[in-house]
Amino acid sequence: MNRYPIWKYAIILIVLVVSAIYALPNLFGESPAVQVSAGRSTVRIDTGTITRVEQTLAAQGIQPSLVQLDASSVKVRFEDTDTQLKARDALDKAFNPDPADAGHVVALNLLPRTPAWLASLGASPMYLGLDLRGGVHFMLQVDMAAALQRRADVLTADLRTLLRERGVRHGGIGRNGETIELRAGDAQTLATARDLVRTQFADLQTTETSDFRLLATIAPEAARRVQEQALKQNITTLHNRINELGVAEPVIQQQGIDRIVVQLPGVQDTAKAKDILGRTATLELRLVDESTDGLAAERGTGAVPFGSERYPERNGRAVIVKREVLLTGENLTDAQAGFDSQTQEAAVHLTLDAKGTRVFRDITRDNVGKRMAIILFEKGRGEVVTAPVIRGEIGGGRVQISGAMTSVEATDTALLLRAGSLAAPMEIVEERTIGPSLGAENIAKGFNSVLWGFIAIVVFMCIYYALFGAFSSLALGFNVLLLVSLLSMLQATLTLPGIAAMALALGMAIDSNVLINERVREELRRGASPQMAINAGYDNAWSTILDSNVTSLIAGVALLIFGSGPVRGFAVVHCLGIVTSMFSSVFFSRGVVNFWYGRQKKLKTVSIGTVWRPDGQTPAVKGD
């Protein structure tokens, strides 16, 4: 009756061992570290970087505990924060002798001390939020006016192209703030331009002046869409950029209609965090100025002509390009590193959207025999990746960038281009640094609250329910172990509200065991034998436990779906705690009870405290 088959005990044992393995990394804590990563796409991080790091630290008499190379950075671990700070200063001076032209990002970080054998099994500690781990917090204000002006620039260029294709002659078209201004020579030209705008540009609304000028502004509904898209693109760009820099579990979310909150746990250097946020890259296609003055300026024998700009190539040679931007990275849908099919040189393969494909086809058709420069802008600086001669019309929406680049540089360039550019400039309006000591204090307080709550529950259960209380306490400890291991396996982020949810999970889990124990007592009062009472107690309590936990789970899922920030952190632990408590309080605790009592054929008493008869006279069964 009260015996588990071997396979059920095997399940309990397997779950117990796996939970212990994946919860174990959380006991080792974190070590101070310095992370060296590329500050530009042309900078390589390889074994040579490790050698340079070791030589720099040795020259300063600094002994690291471990130096390791991952996909995009070198991470150096230290025993204490004082050594970490000294190493950061030494490495920053060695790798960035000119602060104005920093080629590397040298930032403080915190890395887990997980042993290699655990890491080889895929076991990692759960992520800790900003309030527990320390880090930096930014509030960014998005410049929505700049987003509208950029949209107006795009519409101005599109309108100019459309008028040229339709053969409509005009006195000039330009942008004044967020207004597009078109000068017509007569009323007929004005009417033709107005009709084109109304039929082809649904986002614009027009007004006319007495001197044959057409003024077009972005409609309010279209402006709202532009602002929403700018905010979403900025959030996506920040996500891509920060993820590529290896920051664990960043929090990037919208706040209000024009602000973004960025939290970077484990990053202690505010200046470097700002550098991370500003590191985005975009692409521009422009024609090379091949006029007499342009060629002279390229050779260095003349000034840059009006309407052109100078940008360096990777080999340092200058290229003079026209200011008119033909195509930007906004029309880019994908960027992948690869090789040129003919020369086998490293290359970046770009895929354009429908508009970009059309524009690029027109550019290459109208400028055969001319040079076109592909310029990569990163951290406000432009660099000509390649400036090939256009041999013929190129359609299909696929473009290849090749030149003097290695496969690593091609990969880095593709990553930066995929990360994209900011749709609108942003300004930091609030910044806050939370030190690791404050995070450690929060962890200690949270851990102590859960620990003392656990001890209080165990003491009460053992006094009130005797041996059954001890079984319930074992199930409660198993529940905590299972919950921590699940959080670690899912790489969920634990915050202070999450610790509160963990404490709540203890109360909810033990509530199920209290219900089971009382049902067993109830069966004993009715005169059932101990074995029958145990079986009926668990069976009768199961439906009630399931109903109560399902209703709590529904509330937790609602918090998870509709909440944000700390609320979601609470909801994640709350929902996982409900699932683990149902397994531990019913399946695990019954397995322990069955193992202890199920093998006894002639069981006369059970240790479940004092069970009083309904009439309040002598006890029916006493705790033995």
Side-chain angles (χ1 to χ4, degrees):
M1 182 185 298
N2 291 319
R3 293 185 180 182
Y4 265 177
I6 296 298
W7 65 269
K8 286 191 176 182
Y9 284 115
I11 290 177
I12 292 176
L13 184 61
I14 291 172
V15 172
L16 182 62
V17 172
V18 172
S19 299
I21 289 175
Y22 282 91
L24 196 57
N26 295 283
L27 300 178
F28 294 97
E30 294 179 316
S31 59
V34 175
Q35 178 175 304
V36 181
S37 55
R40 291 194 298 268
S41 61
T42 54
V43 176
R44 298 179 59 184
I45 301 295
D46 51 21
T47 54
T49 310
I50 290 184
T51 303
R52 191 176 172 188
V53 167
E54 292 173 341
Q55 291 174 348
T56 301
L57 296 178
Q60 298 294 324
I62 301 173
Q63 182 63 40
S65 57
L66 180 65
V67 181
Q68 63 187 88
L69 173 68
D70 59 17
S72 60
S73 64
V74 173
K75 295 176 180 176
V76 191
R77 299 170 183 260
F78 302 95
E79 294 298 331
D80 54 72
T81 54
D82 291 339
T83 308
Q84 177 198 30
L85 294 174
K86 292 178 182 177
R88 189 274 310 271
D89 294 339
L91 292 174
D92 200 21
K93 289 179 182 179
F95 281 89
N96 300 314
D98 182 8
D101 187 25
H104 294 78
V105 176
V106 181
L108 302 178
N109 209 335
L110 295 171
L111 299 176
R113 290 193 178 99
T114 306
W117 69 272
L118 276 175
S120 65
L121 297 174
S124 301
M126 71 182 84
Y127 288 125
L128 299 179
L130 196 68
D131 47 3
L132 298 180
R133 195 181 185 204
V136 292
H137 165 99
F138 293 108
M139 177 82 74
L140 303 172
Q141 178 88 38
V142 181
D143 188 351
M144 291 302 184
L148 292 175
Q149 290 175 5
R150 289 188 180 185
R151 178 58 180 164
D153 283 333
V154 172
L155 293 173
T156 301
D158 291 347
L159 180 58
R160 184 184 292 111
T161 301
L162 180 63
L163 293 174
R164 182 171 64 248
E165 291 176 349
R166 299 295 176 89
V168 179
R169 296 184 175 274
H170 54 85
I173 182 173
R175 177 183 63 82
N176 183 13
E178 298 174 11
T179 302
I180 301 172
E181 181 178 327
L182 184 145
R183 293 182 292 277
D186 50 53
Q188 182 179 356
T189 303
L190 181 65
T192 303
R194 180 196 61 219
D195 293 341
L196 281 175
V197 170
R198 290 179 177 176
T199 56
Q200 300 295 325
F201 296 89
D203 290 348
L204 295 177
Q205 54 187 15
T206 60
T207 56
E208 302 172 17
T209 63
S210 57
D211 55 350
F212 303 116
R213 286 188 302 141
L214 182 68
L215 304 180
T217 57
I218 301 176
E221 182 64 24
R224 184 184 62 80
R225 290 197 305 270
V226 169
Q227 292 173 338
E228 290 179 353
Q229 183 60 34
L231 198 64
K232 290 179 180 178
Q233 182 176 333
N234 278 16
I235 291 175
T236 301
T237 299
L238 290 174
H239 260 298
N240 293 338
R241 195 68 210 102
I242 291 171
N243 288 341
E244 288 164 8
L245 287 174
V247 178
E249 286 300 297
V251 175
I252 306 172
Q253 59 189 18
Q254 178 180 345
Q255 181 161 323
I257 60 173
D258 60 355
R259 291 189 173 187
I260 300 173
V261 172
V262 177
Q263 294 181 352
L264 305 177
V267 176
Q268 299 298 320
D269 195 326
T270 306
K272 294 302 179 185
K274 291 179 182 178
D275 185 72
I276 289 173
L277 296 181
R279 282 195 60 212
T280 55
T282 188
L283 200 69
E284 288 186 359
L285 271 66
R286 306 188 192 183
L287 289 176
V288 175
D289 189 346
E290 298 182 285
S291 65
T292 304
D293 292 339
L295 294 175
E298 191 171 296
R299 292 191 299 268
T301 58
V304 178
F306 180 77
S308 298
E309 294 178 317
R310 182 198 306 268
Y311 289 103
E313 284 188 300
R314 295 191 177 219
N315 57 14
R317 193 169 66 89
V319 177
I320 309 302
V321 300
K322 296 181 179 180
R323 287 189 178 180
E324 183 183 3
V325 179
L326 304 176
L327 204 63
T328 69
E330 294 180 359
N331 303 110
L332 190 67
T333 59
D334 191 22
Q336 297 291 336
F339 294 93
D340 189 306
S341 58
Q342 296 178 351
T343 64
Q344 294 303 311
E345 293 181 343
V348 179
H349 300 282
L350 311 178
T351 303
L352 304 175
D353 60 13
K355 178 184 176 182
T357 300
R358 176 178 57 80
V359 172
F360 192 75
R361 183 184 63 244
D362 295 342
I363 293 170
T364 53
R365 183 187 64 233
D366 298 338
N367 296 279
V368 175
K370 298 180 181 179
R371 293 173 65 202
M372 179 180 63
I374 300 178
I375 308 172
L376 179 68
F377 286 89
E378 186 181 350
K379 297 176 68 173
R381 299 188 179 189
E383 181 182 67
V384 177
V385 179
T386 182
V389 177
I390 301 173
R391 301 299 183 186
E393 179 180 328
I394 302 175
R398 296 190 63 84
V399 185
Q400 175 181 289
I401 302 176
S402 60
M405 69 172 72
T406 65
S407 58
V408 175
E409 290 170 346
T411 301
D412 291 341
T413 301
L415 285 174
L416 285 168
L417 291 175
R418 283 202 303 272
S421 60
L422 297 174
M426 296 187 298
E427 178 186 1
I428 297 176
V429 295
E430 177 188 340
E431 62 180 77
R432 197 164 63 242
T433 301
I434 300 175
S437 58
L438 179 59
E441 183 181 348
N442 289 337
I443 293 176
K445 289 182 178 179
F447 176 78
N448 290 335
S449 64
V450 175
L451 177 63
W452 287 111
F454 179 83
I455 292 174
I457 291 173
V458 168
V459 170
F460 171 79
M461 293 296 292
C462 289
I463 292 175
Y464 195 68
Y465 291 109
L467 188 57
F468 263 72
F471 295 155
S472 301
S473 300
L474 284 176
L476 187 62
F478 177 75
N479 177 60
V480 174
L481 180 67
L482 188 57
L483 178 57
V484 171
S485 65
L486 274 179
L487 290 171
S488 301
M489 283 189 281
L490 296 174
Q491 290 293 273
T493 301
L494 183 67
T495 60
L496 278 176
I499 292 180
M502 193 174 291
L504 177 62
L506 295 180
M508 295 182 64
I510 205 63
D511 182 62
S512 299
N513 286 111
V514 169
L515 186 59
I516 291 170
N517 294 344
E518 288 300 326
R519 287 296 174 91
V520 173
R521 281 183 168 184
E522 184 179 340
E523 294 299 324
L524 291 172
R525 291 191 191 101
R526 292 175 179 174
S529 67
Q531 293 287 13
M532 289 291 296
I534 292 173
N535 185 65
Y538 272 95
D539 289 345
N540 294 335
W542 166 243
S543 59
T544 305
I545 293 172
L546 180 63
D547 291 344
S548 62
N549 280 282
V550 167
T551 53
S552 297
L553 188 61
I554 292 173
V557 170
L559 290 176
L560 192 61
I561 294 174
F562 300 108
S564 62
V567 175
R568 286 178 63 89
F570 177 89
V572 168
V573 181
H574 177 67
C575 292
L576 289 177
I578 291 173
V579 175
T580 58
S581 68
M582 292 177 66
F583 180 84
S584 62
S585 61
V586 178
F587 190 79
F588 178 83
S589 69
R590 184 161 191 180
V592 176
V593 171
N594 287 355
F595 180 79
W596 189 266
Y597 286 116
R599 53 192 171 86
Q600 301 182 31
K601 296 181 178 180
K602 296 181 179 180
L603 183 63
K604 296 182 179 180
T605 61
V606 291
S607 179
I608 195 170
T610 302
V611 181
W612 296 92
R613 293 187 185 279
D615 56 10
Q617 296 177 1
T618 58
V621 181
K622 295 183 179 179
D624 51 9

